[in-house]
Amino acid sequence: MGKWQTKEQLTKLLCNLVRIPSITGSQAEEIFPDFVVQQLSDFSYFQQYPNHLQKNPTGDDRFFITALVKKAPDVKNTVILVSHFDVVDIKDYGRWKEDAFNPEKLTSMFYSHIDELPVPVRQDMEQGNWLFGRGTMDMKCGLALHMSMIEQACEGKFDGNILLLAVPDEEVNSVGMRAAVPKLLNIAKQFDLEYTTVLNSEPMFTRYPGDESKYIYTGSVGKVLPGFLCYGKESHVGEPFAGLNANYMASLLTAEIELNTEFCEVIEGEATPPPTNLIQRDLKDEYSTQIPHRAVTLFNLFLLEKQMGDVVLSLREKAIKVAAQIEDNYMKQANHFSTYNSFTPKNLKVNILTYEELIEYCVQNYGQEQINALQTSVLKNRNGNDDRDLTIEFVDQLSIMCKELAPMIVIFFAPPYYPAVSSRHNLFIQDVVYNMEKYAYDNHNVTFKKQNYFGGISDLSYVGLQYPAESMKPLTTNMPLWNNGYSVPLDDLEKFNVPVLNVGPVGRDAHQWTERLDIDYAFETLLDMLPVCIHKLLNPVLERKKFM
């Protein structure tokens, strides 16, 4: 019967995985790999080949797991099963918080208090078999299924090699996956492997409220975090026309970019969500009657196939438009105010710079040594600040150094960066998708809808590049932390460049207190389909011939 081959066994495994509260950045995230390694080491295969099962350091006290099951010494074709084991925090659970990591108890309590739950949740509970709890769908179910596939591989069920990769930190900066790429290249060389596909099992994401469709994904959406540092001019609140309020500048930028569908990309009918603001604040350290003359606004921007040079160009165009609005409205209000008080309004000019241009100016006027010292100071005095805070701090300090350029808007990028990835033009992957669509319908009456891009952001972003690494310069030269605490192994991604696919369970409400997993679909339907999919991914020539 095996260890993880029935619905009951996999449900128990999933509950054990969820009970480890591996919130990103927590101690539990650091020790989580020990449990997985211990469970896998029970198999005789890993007792015979202990170096095939490893905990690999990320360099920050966290670890990612690699578990290779090689069919035979001369077999090269290998499917990578990728998952992440970190989860977001549980503050949103409110009075249910104490049991957020106890799926069986939480599910029982929710069924006992079903009248207190939102209507869509109640409807699901009345129609299906759902398991609640943080990480049940996103994405410890995927890891549990991959561990089941490793067990099957140990028993010789697949005509090829299986490599499990489970990583931390997917929910924040993807430290685990970024650290794993060089390791995957080394493993391929060490064991003479050829990777045919990276298969993820992130849960399906609904595209709209009430979406009941089942999806199979051939890629993953990209993401950048563009920011605008607004530097106005200081003055007393009693003399507002002697200065320029940076909060006002930032608010106009947010009004221009927030939900602006001009930034949406549409590929074969799939549209990215428009940008939305993640951070907006002034940079004053304390309350005073000085107007806030430095402020920042930062956005989430999804990408599909747009190149970084075009992204920077569009951001600059919006900044120029907003700068003109600031200048025009300032003069309009100043002229009107001058009718109450006799003064002559001064012309206002807002400069637009990229971070790269600001650095060039700083180096020319203040020297590289002073810039390096400032950067070292910011990084050294981190004080618990995350990468967004550090980025903003460094751009702010540079702007203060060059305040003669003010008023100005500085365009920059903050971590993380997720490259968009898609195998929509890969004939092999399209063959597999066609066959899986047919298998799902014929055997389970499931109708898959193919999506070119998984919309929930995933670590599949780090298994290849759509464009040469050189084309990323507009991003890297405008990201202050690039190679200063944050980086993406672009050259390794160019070498890696493996096709991708995502076949995952049905879940609802990721990152919400009502997060839940459809147990029957996950551990009956998907448990049957996943080995079929892996078989097809291990035999690319066979599948192409069958399709043609």
Side-chain angles (χ1 to χ4, degrees), residues 437-456:
E437 288 173 333
K438 187 175 187 307
Y439 183 88
Y441 185 79
D442 291 346
N443 293 273
H444 298 284
N445 199 31
V446 169
T447 300
F448 273 135
K449 286 187 177 181
K450 180 178 75 70
Q451 287 286 110
N452 293 311
Y453 295 91
F454 174 75

Short mmCIF file of all heavy atoms in Angstrom, two decimals, residues 437-456:
data_model
loop_
_atom_site.label_atom_id
_atom_site.label_comp_id
_atom_site.label_asym_id
_atom_site.label_seq_id
_atom_site.Cartn_x
_atom_site.Cartn_y
_atom_site.Cartn_z
N GLU A 437 -5.13 17.09 -20.90
CA GLU A 437 -6.52 17.53 -21.04
C GLU A 437 -7.42 16.35 -21.40
O GLU A 437 -8.51 16.18 -20.83
CB GLU A 437 -6.62 18.62 -22.11
CG GLU A 437 -6.04 19.96 -21.68
CD GLU A 437 -6.01 20.97 -22.82
OE1 GLU A 437 -5.93 20.54 -23.99
OE2 GLU A 437 -6.06 22.17 -22.53
N LYS A 438 -6.94 15.53 -22.32
CA LYS A 438 -7.72 14.36 -22.76
C LYS A 438 -7.83 13.34 -21.63
O LYS A 438 -8.92 12.80 -21.37
CB LYS A 438 -7.07 13.73 -23.99
CG LYS A 438 -7.89 12.61 -24.63
CD LYS A 438 -7.23 12.13 -25.92
CE LYS A 438 -8.13 11.13 -26.65
NZ LYS A 438 -8.58 10.01 -25.81
N TYR A 439 -6.73 13.07 -20.95
CA TYR A 439 -6.74 12.09 -19.86
C TYR A 439 -7.67 12.54 -18.73
O TYR A 439 -8.45 11.74 -18.19
CB TYR A 439 -5.33 11.88 -19.31
CG TYR A 439 -5.27 10.83 -18.22
CD1 TYR A 439 -5.09 9.49 -18.54
CD2 TYR A 439 -5.42 11.18 -16.88
CE1 TYR A 439 -5.06 8.51 -17.54
CE2 TYR A 439 -5.39 10.21 -15.88
CZ TYR A 439 -5.21 8.88 -16.22
OH TYR A 439 -5.19 7.92 -15.23
N ALA A 440 -7.60 13.82 -18.36
CA ALA A 440 -8.43 14.34 -17.27
C ALA A 440 -9.91 14.21 -17.60
O ALA A 440 -10.73 13.85 -16.73
CB ALA A 440 -8.06 15.79 -16.99
N TYR A 441 -10.26 14.51 -18.84
CA TYR A 441 -11.67 14.44 -19.23
C TYR A 441 -12.15 13.00 -19.32
O TYR A 441 -13.22 12.65 -18.81
CB TYR A 441 -11.88 15.17 -20.56
CG TYR A 441 -13.34 15.24 -20.96
CD1 TYR A 441 -14.19 16.19 -20.38
CD2 TYR A 441 -13.87 14.34 -21.89
CE1 TYR A 441 -15.52 16.25 -20.72
CE2 TYR A 441 -15.22 14.40 -22.24
CZ TYR A 441 -16.04 15.35 -21.65
OH TYR A 441 -17.38 15.41 -21.98
N ASP A 442 -11.35 12.14 -19.97
CA ASP A 442 -11.76 10.75 -20.18
C ASP A 442 -11.85 9.96 -18.88
O ASP A 442 -12.71 9.09 -18.73
CB ASP A 442 -10.78 10.05 -21.13
CG ASP A 442 -10.86 10.57 -22.56
OD1 ASP A 442 -11.85 11.28 -22.86
OD2 ASP A 442 -9.95 10.28 -23.35
N ASN A 443 -10.96 10.26 -17.93
CA ASN A 443 -10.86 9.44 -16.72
C ASN A 443 -11.51 10.06 -15.48
O ASN A 443 -11.86 9.33 -14.54
CB ASN A 443 -9.40 9.12 -16.42
CG ASN A 443 -8.78 8.21 -17.46
OD1 ASN A 443 -8.86 6.99 -17.37
ND2 ASN A 443 -8.14 8.81 -18.46
N HIS A 444 -11.64 11.39 -15.48
CA HIS A 444 -12.17 12.04 -14.28
C HIS A 444 -13.26 13.07 -14.58
O HIS A 444 -13.71 13.76 -13.66
CB HIS A 444 -11.04 12.72 -13.52
CG HIS A 444 -9.98 11.77 -13.03
ND1 HIS A 444 -10.18 10.95 -11.94
CD2 HIS A 444 -8.73 11.48 -13.50
CE1 HIS A 444 -9.09 10.21 -11.74
NE2 HIS A 444 -8.21 10.50 -12.68
N ASN A 445 -13.65 13.16 -15.84
CA ASN A 445 -14.65 14.15 -16.26
C ASN A 445 -14.25 15.57 -15.84
O ASN A 445 -15.09 16.41 -15.49
CB ASN A 445 -16.03 13.81 -15.67
CG ASN A 445 -17.15 14.51 -16.41
OD1 ASN A 445 -17.05 14.77 -17.62
ND2 ASN A 445 -18.23 14.82 -15.71
N VAL A 446 -12.95 15.82 -15.86
CA VAL A 446 -12.40 17.14 -15.53
C VAL A 446 -12.02 17.85 -16.82
O VAL A 446 -11.30 17.29 -17.66
CB VAL A 446 -11.16 17.02 -14.62
CG1 VAL A 446 -10.43 18.37 -14.51
CG2 VAL A 446 -11.56 16.54 -13.24
N THR A 447 -12.51 19.06 -17.00
CA THR A 447 -12.17 19.86 -18.16
C THR A 447 -11.13 20.90 -17.77
O THR A 447 -11.42 21.83 -17.01
CB THR A 447 -13.42 20.57 -18.73
OG1 THR A 447 -14.39 19.59 -19.10
CG2 THR A 447 -13.05 21.41 -19.95
N PHE A 448 -9.92 20.72 -18.27
CA PHE A 448 -8.85 21.68 -17.99
C PHE A 448 -8.94 22.86 -18.95
O PHE A 448 -9.25 22.72 -20.12
CB PHE A 448 -7.47 21.02 -18.19
CG PHE A 448 -6.94 20.32 -16.98
CD1 PHE A 448 -6.36 19.06 -17.09
CD2 PHE A 448 -7.00 20.90 -15.72
CE1 PHE A 448 -5.86 18.40 -15.98
CE2 PHE A 448 -6.50 20.25 -14.61
CZ PHE A 448 -5.93 19.00 -14.74
N LYS A 449 -8.63 24.03 -18.43
CA LYS A 449 -8.41 25.21 -19.25
C LYS A 449 -6.92 25.53 -19.19
O LYS A 449 -6.36 25.67 -18.11
CB LYS A 449 -9.21 26.41 -18.74
CG LYS A 449 -10.69 26.33 -19.02
CD LYS A 449 -11.37 27.64 -18.65
CE LYS A 449 -12.85 27.61 -19.00
NZ LYS A 449 -13.50 28.90 -18.65
N LYS A 450 -6.30 25.64 -20.36
CA LYS A 450 -4.87 25.95 -20.39
C LYS A 450 -4.67 27.45 -20.18
O LYS A 450 -5.32 28.27 -20.82
CB LYS A 450 -4.24 25.54 -21.72
CG LYS A 450 -2.74 25.83 -21.80
CD LYS A 450 -2.16 25.37 -23.11
CE LYS A 450 -2.52 26.27 -24.27
NZ LYS A 450 -1.83 27.59 -24.19
N GLN A 451 -3.77 27.76 -19.25
CA GLN A 451 -3.36 29.14 -19.01
C GLN A 451 -1.87 29.26 -19.33
O GLN A 451 -1.08 28.43 -18.89
CB GLN A 451 -3.61 29.54 -17.57
CG GLN A 451 -5.07 29.76 -17.20
CD GLN A 451 -5.61 31.03 -17.77
OE1 GLN A 451 -6.43 31.02 -18.67
NE2 GLN A 451 -5.15 32.16 -17.27
N ASN A 452 -1.51 30.31 -20.07
CA ASN A 452 -0.11 30.51 -20.40
C ASN A 452 0.70 30.94 -19.18
O ASN A 452 1.90 30.67 -19.10
CB ASN A 452 0.03 31.58 -21.49
CG ASN A 452 -0.55 31.12 -22.81
OD1 ASN A 452 -0.26 30.02 -23.28
ND2 ASN A 452 -1.38 31.95 -23.41
N TYR A 453 0.03 31.62 -18.24
CA TYR A 453 0.75 32.16 -17.09
C TYR A 453 -0.03 31.90 -15.81
O TYR A 453 -1.20 32.26 -15.71
CB TYR A 453 0.96 33.67 -17.23
CG TYR A 453 1.86 34.05 -18.39
CD1 TYR A 453 1.33 34.31 -19.64
CD2 TYR A 453 3.25 34.13 -18.22
CE1 TYR A 453 2.16 34.65 -20.71
CE2 TYR A 453 4.07 34.47 -19.28
CZ TYR A 453 3.53 34.73 -20.51
OH TYR A 453 4.35 35.06 -21.56
N PHE A 454 0.63 31.28 -14.84
CA PHE A 454 0.09 31.16 -13.48
C PHE A 454 0.09 32.56 -12.87
O PHE A 454 1.13 33.23 -12.83
CB PHE A 454 0.96 30.19 -12.67
CG PHE A 454 0.59 30.09 -11.22
CD1 PHE A 454 -0.53 29.38 -10.83
CD2 PHE A 454 1.38 30.68 -10.24
CE1 PHE A 454 -0.87 29.27 -9.49
CE2 PHE A 454 1.06 30.57 -8.91
CZ PHE A 454 -0.09 29.87 -8.52
N GLY A 455 -1.07 33.00 -12.38
CA GLY A 455 -1.20 34.39 -11.95
C GLY A 455 -0.84 34.65 -10.51
O GLY A 455 -0.85 35.80 -10.06
N GLY A 456 -0.50 33.61 -9.74
CA GLY A 456 -0.25 33.79 -8.32
C GLY A 456 1.19 34.08 -7.95
O GLY A 456 1.51 34.12 -6.76
#
